[in-house]
């Protein structure tokens, strides 16, 4: 069970993102489920949980360099796990700068490291 994808808050956001049109929401959600399966989300999620557990065991926050392919991907994507506090529900808070030189160089990712991203 992945509340990040199937919880009430997420599913409410899907319906809102579809402008309240339940058929558009269903189509979008079904497409997401197919993509999760295609890209092996179960294995990715399991690795991420192990990474988080290791960081918590070491008494520190998750950093981008904890994830595979950091050296290659970090040239085109930058995140800052910025807050020492967690959200009220216990989730980590991730800041992605949104400006001209922000977190994603989409073209760079597509051309250089899409498979590792």
């Amino acid at each position: 069970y992945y509340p990040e994808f199937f919880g009430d808050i997420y599913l409410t956001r899907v319906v809102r993102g579809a402008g309240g049109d339940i058929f558009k929401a269903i189509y979008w959600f079904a497409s997401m489920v197919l993509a999760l399966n295609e890209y092996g989300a179960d294995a990715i999620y399991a690795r991420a949980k192990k990474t988080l557990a290791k960081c918590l065991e070491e008494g520190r926050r998750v950093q981008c360099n904890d994830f595979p392919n950091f050296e290659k991907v970090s040239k085109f994507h930058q995140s800052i796990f910025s807050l020492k506090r967690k959200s009220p529900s216990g989730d980590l808070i991730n800041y992605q700068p949104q400006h001209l030189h922000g977190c994603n160089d989409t073209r760079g990712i597509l051309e250089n490291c899409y498979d590792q991203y």
Side-chain angles (χ1 to χ4, degrees), residues 68-83:
N69 306 308
F70 168 76
E71 293 298 324
K72 187 164 191 172
V73 173
S74 65
K75 297 172 188 167
F76 309 101
H77 174 89
Q78 298 179 14
S79 291
I80 302 168
F81 297 92
S82 54
L83 299 178

Side-chain angles (χ1 to χ4, degrees), residues 72 76 105-117:
K72 187 164 191 172
F76 309 101
D105 171 0
T106 305
R107 180 172 292 172
I109 291 168
L110 291 172
E111 292 175 357
N112 298 287
C113 62
Y114 182 74
D115 291 338
Q116 293 87 23
Y117 183 73

Side-chain angles (χ1 to χ4, degrees), residues 1 12 14-15 23 26 30 35 42 44-45 49 52 58 63-64 72-73 76-77 79 86 89 97 102 107 109 115:
Y1 173 69
T12 299
V14 170
V15 174
F23 295 107
I26 290 169
D42 286 338
I44 294 167
Y45 194 84
K49 282 181 72 171
L52 175 59
E58 294 172 359
Q63 298 298 317
C64 289
K72 187 164 191 172
V73 173
F76 309 101
H77 174 89
S79 291
K86 293 182 181 180
S89 63
R107 180 172 292 172
I109 291 168
D115 291 338

Side-chain angles (χ1 to χ4, degrees), residues 28-40:
W28 186 93
F29 185 77
S31 297
M32 182 200 68
V33 170
L34 291 172
L36 288 172
N37 185 51
E38 180 181 344
Y39 291 104

